[in-house]
Amino acid sequence: MGLRIEYQRLRTDLGLYVPTADLIILRPRLSRSTERSVLAHEIQHHLLAHRRVSGAWSLRQERHANIRAAQWLVDPIRLRDVQRWSRDPAEWCVELGVTGDIMLAYLSAA
């Protein structure tokens, strides 16, 4: 893919894709599921050739990156298995190792 990943302190974001440098910056010391979800999201920005924009285009890019990351991370068979014994979406996230944002994107795209 040609991407570099660096860990740096970020003010508000958990992760950031810098297209001009083929770089993903992640906040250090994230939980495993958060790092996995944020990294997948930022990789999708790269694969979708997103560039920094503002307004409605930014919201569309974020949603698109979340949906693609969710499709990549959430195993539908595993999710169905978990849903058989739990009705709690928070438990689904824990069992599948994803954040609530990623699970919500997956469910909304289904």
Side-chain angles (χ1 to χ4, degrees):
M1 246 183 262
L3 284 170
R4 287 187 349 260
I5 299 170
E6 294 181 6
Y7 293 86
Q8 298 178 17
R9 291 178 63 182
L10 297 169
R11 283 187 190 199
T12 57
D13 295 324
L14 300 177
L16 178 67
Y17 170 55
V18 184
T20 55
D22 286 333
L23 172 67
I24 292 174
I25 301 170
L26 296 176
R27 182 182 288 184
R29 295 179 293 283
L30 297 173
S31 71
R32 185 172 187 265
S33 60
T34 299
E35 182 171 321
R36 181 174 182 256
S37 297
V38 171
L39 181 57
H41 172 92
E42 299 305 335
I43 288 171
Q44 290 305 317
H45 279 307
H46 172 73
L47 295 175
L48 295 164
H50 287 168
R51 298 292 179 245
R52 278 208 165 291
V53 294
S54 61
W57 280 107
S58 177
L59 296 174
R60 286 184 192 124
Q61 284 186 358
E62 291 303 310
R63 178 162 166 68
H64 197 190
N66 266 349
I67 289 170
R68 291 281 297 268
Q71 291 168 339
W72 194 20
L73 296 177
V74 176
D75 177 346
I77 295 169
R78 177 77 180 117
L79 177 58
R80 276 194 299 274
D81 288 345
V82 172
Q83 288 173 325
R84 285 189 185 113
W85 57 264
S86 174
R87 294 184 183 268
D88 183 358
E91 283 189 64
W92 307 345
C93 293
V94 170
E95 291 297 318
L96 279 88
V98 297
T99 61
D101 288 344
I102 293 296
M103 183 59 71
L104 184 60
Y106 183 83
L107 295 172
S108 69

